[in-house]
């Protein structure tokens, strides 16, 4: 197994552990909604500290259910991942093209023959 394969396997294990351990250890069992987002946690903390707090503005669009909100969030994440993948792929392709162009310029041209 190559060094890169070992590193990739270790990283995959760490990611899997980060996903499974909170569920296996029962973290968040004492809460009504154990794995809520940061917005919900912040809202709860604010209302505990200042019960009369009034938000400065309201959302432009309030999804009718939590499932639709989750779907929109997943769509946003997928679009962001697509943009990042396109960016990295574009730059890798450019770098490979530059390397091929340099290799083509450095190699002797066999089609040209010298006349004696």
């Amino acid at each position: 197994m190559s060094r890169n394969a070992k590193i990739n396997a270790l990283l995959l294990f760490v990611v899997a552990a980060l996903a499974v351990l909170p569920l296996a250890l029962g973290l968040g069992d004492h809460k009504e909604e154990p794995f809520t987002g940061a917005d919900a946690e912040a809202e709860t903390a604010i209302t505990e500290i200042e019960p009369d707090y009034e938000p400065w503005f309201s959302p432009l669009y309030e999804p009718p259910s939590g499932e639709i909100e989750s779907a929109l969030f997943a769509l946003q994440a997928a679009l962001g991942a697509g943009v990042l993948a396109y960016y990295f792929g574009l730059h890798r392709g450019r770098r490979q093209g530059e390397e091929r162009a340099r290799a083509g310029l450095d190699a002797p041209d066999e089609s040209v023959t010298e006349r004696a």
Side-chain angles (χ1 to χ4, degrees), residues 35-59:
F35 299 106
T36 58
D39 292 343
E41 293 287 331
E43 183 180 348
T44 303
I46 289 170
T47 54
E48 286 176 3
I49 295 170
E50 183 67 41
D52 297 331
Y53 175 76
E54 289 291 325
W56 294 358
F57 57 90
S58 61

Side-chain angles (χ1 to χ4, degrees), residues 33-97:
E33 293 183 31
F35 299 106
T36 58
D39 292 343
E41 293 287 331
E43 183 180 348
T44 303
I46 289 170
T47 54
E48 286 176 3
I49 295 170
E50 183 67 41
D52 297 331
Y53 175 76
E54 289 291 325
W56 294 358
F57 57 90
S58 61
L60 298 175
Y61 171 70
E62 186 72 37
S65 70
E67 291 82 9
I68 293 175
E69 185 176 358
S70 294
L72 290 173
F73 183 75
L75 178 65
Q76 177 186 1
L79 287 172
V83 168
L84 282 175
Y86 174 78
Y87 173 79
F88 288 126
L90 179 70
H91 283 281
R92 181 175 180 174
R94 284 183 180 170
R95 188 179 66 236
Q96 287 177 347

